[in-house]
Amino acid sequence: MEAIFSGLWALADPMLLFLIVLATLGGILVGALPGLNATNGVALLLPFTITMEPISAIAVLTTIYCAATFAGAVTAILINTPGTSASATTCLDGYPLAQRGEAGRALGMAAVSSTIGGIISVLCLMAAAPLLAGAAYKFAPPEYFALTVFGLSMLASIGEESSIKSIMSGAFGVLLATVGIDLLTTVERFTFGINELTEGIGFVPVMIGVFGIAELLAQAGQLGIFRERITLRAIQLPSKADYKKTWKAILRSSGIGTFIGILPAEGATIASMIGYNEAKRWSKTPEEFGKGSIEGIAGSEAANNSATGGAMVPTLALGIPGSPTAAVILAGLMVHGLRPGPTMFTEQSTFVFAIFWSMLLVNVLFFFIGLYGARIFARATLIPLTILWPMVFLFSIVGAYALDQSMIDVWIALIFGVIGYLMRRYGFSVVSLAIGLILGGMLEKRLGQSMVMLDEQWWLIATRPLSLFFLVLTVLALAGPALLKKIKKFKS
Amino acid sequence: MTVQSKDSDTSSLNTSRWLIPGLIILFCIVAFYFTTQFDRVPEILKRGIQPSDFPQLILLLLTALACLLPFENIQYNRPAIPPSVFISLTLMIIFVLLTHLDFFIALGCFGGLLSFSWGERRLGTLFLVTLLLPTFVFFLFDLVFEVRFPRGLLTNLWYG
């Protein structure tokens, strides 16, 4: 209880509040710009937080996460291009509404449902994360190993093309994590005599490469695409009739989004798809979906924003990222010398609750900033690509360099930019690579500790109830989608 | 699921179907060879696993999954990589070469050339991405974040 108030008190710092307001504006701008999203926005801005105190740094990153997720709706509604992939389903009804001259109404509903979804999820985060952390105290290395394997197995469902490719990308990330000196034995691995590689491949340059520079190359391939932009006159709060029609969808999607967010690796994009589909399934007027349904916007936006709070639950309580952006935030926590996990809730409880409160604050902030600033942010979509992407490259390269003031990080960012572009082109998920890289070190360390603990009889991992539980979940996560498909096929 | 456009080029599909897994397996073989060169530690110091064990496990997993790839029933006919991507990649190589002269000259040149190659012809915009933005970023990081950039023709003027 004391930590809750000390966390709130930590937020009373005027400088921190100023940074949160600034990050909210930055996050909304990032989310509104097509091509940039919460994940690459957080990755690009991470180096700016190096000199900050950990509370300020992580509060800024989580603020950008929440604000950018909301702002994806602006471009989704006005130019039929989701600012973030999590807003893809918002396009389906937002743009038809905007074409009918109701862009303000659509944006108003997006702001309200995002705020409600975000607040509900942060409240769940405040309740669930300490409970989960408390339960995680019972975990020994074999349980942590099995949990990390489960976290990685969830990567199977996040790729666009195939589960195998997603797992391969994750495994490649885990392999990259083995570069450098093995901490258990001090043996050098894959360093090829390069001194700078002895400490391993840094998370931040890789993230900047695969999310920032790879996106630049992807944008280079989409030059000349014309986007029709709808003029926004004024944003409009939902009417009583709109509230009456959508409140169930908002609450349902908030629950769905929070739950999906808690699952390792699953983020706002999947949450918004399920939230939208459920809103349609339960709607009295499903035929309106895809043609400008206000329920569709509510279902999609409440779900994607509620996934942000949910995703922070496993990230902070277990050190397993709940979404792609949470993976970058996890890297940020590590850069600042913080070790996410159950001990964080006892040793750094003020820090943890300050982050919770800042996330709650940003959900209120972006409601007002979104409502009154939507017209200005909508203009951000007019920034020419010929200014935006050279600027992204500039910040990517300087950001990669600034962390350790080392040119090797610049080369790593460039190399992984090209690798990331090729991976995306051939259907391999760069998100899986990033999560694999973050979890790889932990996976190997826990495996080594488990082997020592179990006297090198690795199969005994499966004889411990909690480990067995996570391993069963792993099998279900890997085989479940294929099995369900077969059952459906058999039934039909 | 089969996603294939009518004008799909079967030979290119086959190439990507076999070529990519083949390249991955080749990478795994080379990486596996390197793991065999890692130092081994005495039994008493190995703390559960040898340094080469874990990477080898991952490489075997990657190889096994790469072997499954060609048999997946997913075929995407991908359009060719547009020339603008190759131009952007070439500019990145020019950036790398120019960093030997000066980090910020390289950044400015890249910004201006990228903008130009993407169709920008307005002098104001080119001036912005070539000169103004790199200068702003240099002073922001130098004065606010106290980052010291590599010495070069331009940065030496500031660092002395």
Side-chain angles (χ1 to χ4, degrees):
Chain A
M1 202 64 180
E2 198 191 316
I4 295 176
F5 291 107
S6 60
L8 187 59
W9 184 244
L11 214 65
D13 177 7
M15 187 61 194
L16 179 55
L17 287 174
F18 171 71
L19 282 172
I20 289 174
V21 174
L22 207 65
T24 308
L25 291 167
I28 295 178
L29 192 65
V30 161
L33 289 166
L36 287 180
N37 56 38
T39 311
N40 52 30
V42 172
L44 288 176
L45 295 170
L46 203 158
F48 287 87
T49 65
I50 307 163
T51 52
M52 294 179 191
E53 290 291 313
I55 289 182
S56 307
I58 305 305
V60 163
L61 297 180
T62 49
T63 299
I64 293 167
Y65 179 22
C66 297
T69 306
F70 152 71
V74 176
T75 42
I77 291 166
L78 294 180
I79 59 169
N80 200 24
T81 303
T84 64
S85 57
S87 301
T89 45
T90 308
C91 286
L92 301 175
D93 290 293
Y95 190 65
L97 267 176
Q99 281 179 315
R100 294 204 308 243
E102 294 182 85
R105 182 179 167 225
L107 277 169
M109 177 50 76
V112 168
S113 47
S114 293
T115 303
I116 296 173
I119 289 174
I120 288 175
S121 80
V122 176
L123 293 176
C124 289
L125 166 69
M126 289 170 113
L131 287 177
L132 191 59
Y137 263 115
K138 292 174 189 152
F139 290 10
E143 281 75 30
Y144 266 116
F145 172 74
L147 174 68
T148 313
V149 171
F150 167 58
L152 287 168
S153 72
M154 293 299 283
L155 296 178
S157 58
I158 64 172
E160 283 174 14
E161 278 192 17
S162 91
S163 303
I164 292 177
K165 285 183 176 177
S166 284
I167 295 172
M168 286 179 78
S169 307
F172 180 49
V174 173
L175 185 71
L176 288 173
T178 64
V179 174
I181 288 182
D182 175 27
L183 292 177
L184 295 173
T185 56
T186 70
V187 169
E188 281 191 27
R189 299 183 296 188
F190 299 118
T191 55
F192 307 107
I194 302 168
N195 276 338
E196 287 90 340
L197 285 181
T198 51
E199 285 180 29
I201 293 180
F203 299 141
V204 179
V206 174
M207 305 268 175
I208 287 175
V210 297
F211 294 123
I213 294 170
E215 185 62 43
L216 181 149
L217 291 170
Q219 291 291 326
Q222 292 171 16
L223 295 175
I225 293 177
F226 176 73
R227 294 186 176 103
E228 193 189 348
R229 184 174 169 275
I230 287 175
T231 313
L232 173 69
R233 285 187 191 88
I235 200 162
Q236 187 186 327
L237 276 174
S239 64
K240 260 189 185 175
D242 284 342
Y243 278 122
K244 206 174 165 188
K245 201 172 180 184
T246 57
W247 71 271
K248 280 183 188 166
I250 292 174
L251 290 181
R252 193 185 307 111
S253 286
S254 301
I256 290 168
T258 306
F259 176 72
I260 299 285
I262 291 173
L263 294 177
E266 308 293 337
T269 307
I270 293 169
S272 65
M273 283 176 190
I274 298 177
Y276 181 83
N277 283 336
E278 287 305 302
K280 186 178 179 180
R281 200 160 69 91
W282 290 90
S283 172
K284 286 176 185 166
T285 51
E287 68 282 356
E288 284 179 12
F289 278 68
K291 295 170 192 160
S293 163
I294 202 79
E295 278 178 281
I297 296 173
S300 165
E301 284 301 306
N304 68 28
N305 252 71
S306 56
T308 56
M312 292 306 286
V313 175
T315 309
L316 293 171
L318 304 169
I320 306 277
S323 71
T325 319
V328 187
I329 294 174
L330 190 60
L333 284 162
M334 290 169 174
V335 165
H336 283 276
L338 298 161
R339 285 279 166 267
T343 50
M344 193 182 238
F345 285 77
T346 48
E347 290 165 11
Q348 283 151 328
S349 54
T350 303
F351 166 81
V352 172
F353 279 93
I355 298 304
F356 292 168
W357 285 115
S358 71
M359 286 182 76
L360 203 60
L361 176 66
V362 68
N363 277 288
V364 180
L365 268 178
F366 73 58
F367 174 73
F368 290 105
I369 295 175
L371 274 186
Y372 296 105
R375 285 185 74 175
I376 300 163
F377 290 112
R379 297 188 75 83
T381 58
L382 296 175
I383 295 178
L385 295 180
T386 50
I387 294 179
L388 179 65
W389 290 98
M391 206 159 84
V392 168
F393 183 81
L394 180 67
F395 279 104
S396 299
I397 295 299
V398 174
Y401 174 82
L403 197 66
D404 283 332
Q405 303 193 19
S406 156
M407 283 305 281
I408 194 96
D409 287 342
V410 174
W411 311 141
I412 288 174
L414 283 171
I415 291 167
F416 277 91
V418 178
I419 291 175
Y421 172 74
L422 291 173
M423 284 179 70
R424 283 171 56 164
R425 183 175 160 76
Y426 292 104
F428 292 87
S429 162
V430 291
V431 172
S432 298
L433 179 138
I435 294 178
L437 176 65
I438 288 175
L439 293 182
M442 193 205 286
L443 188 72
E444 185 178 13
K445 188 176 148 196
R446 302 298 188 197
L447 177 64
Q449 289 171 337
S450 304
M451 295 288 273
V452 172
M453 191 179 150
L454 303 172
D455 209 13
E456 298 192 13
Q457 299 173 71
W458 57 266
W459 58 91
L460 290 180
I461 292 174
T463 60
R464 300 168 66 91
L466 260 174
S467 307
L468 184 64
F469 171 70
F470 288 126
L471 292 176
V472 169
L473 285 181
T474 303
V475 174
L476 287 177
L478 291 173
L483 274 177
L484 276 176
K485 218 182 256 179
K486 287 217 164 160
I487 291 169
K488 270 186 189 170
K489 207 175 172 185
F490 179 75
K491 274 186 179 174
S492 63
Chain B
M1 184 175 67
T2 303
V3 182
Q4 199 171 345
S5 68
K6 279 178 189 171
D7 59 345
S8 67
D9 179 351
T10 318
S11 66
S12 86
L13 278 176
N14 282 337
T15 307
S16 82
R17 172 173 267 204
W18 296 101
L19 184 69
I20 291 167
L23 286 173
I24 293 170
I25 292 169
L26 185 69
F27 164 80
C28 289
I29 291 169
V30 174
F32 198 93
Y33 166 75
F34 284 121
T35 63
T36 60
Q37 307 300 305
F38 295 164
D39 293 339
R40 293 187 74 78
V41 290
E43 282 294 307
I44 199 161
L45 294 175
K46 75 171 187 178
R47 309 265 183 96
I49 45 176
Q50 286 287 350
S52 57
D53 291 349
F54 187 71
Q56 285 178 351
L57 194 72
I58 301 299
L59 286 166
L60 288 175
L61 173 71
L62 267 172
T63 310
L65 291 172
C67 291
L68 291 177
L69 270 185
F71 306 104
E72 270 203 311
N73 195 20
I74 299 175
Q75 294 173 29
Y76 287 89
N77 185 25
R78 297 170 216 279
I81 297 177
S84 51
V85 175
F86 287 111
I87 293 170
S88 305
L89 281 168
T90 310
L91 292 178
M92 283 185 192
I93 294 167
I94 293 172
F95 163 78
V96 172
L97 296 173
L98 283 177
T99 51
H100 295 290
L101 205 63
D102 186 279
F103 191 54
F104 277 87
I105 288 180
L107 281 170
C109 286
F110 179 87
L113 289 171
L114 184 80
S115 194
F116 186 83
S117 70
W118 284 19
E120 185 59 66
R121 294 292 179 271
R122 288 168 294 184
L123 281 178
T125 305
L126 293 171
F127 179 71
L128 178 77
V129 294
T130 311
L131 279 175
L132 283 186
L133 280 172
T135 311
F136 167 73
V137 169
F138 174 77
F139 285 113
L140 175 74
F141 275 81
D142 186 80
L143 300 173
V144 180
F145 299 112
E146 296 175 354
V147 172
R148 204 168 171 84
F149 289 102
R151 280 182 172 274
L153 282 178
L154 274 183
T155 40
N156 274 348
L157 295 176
W158 179 252
Y159 293 137

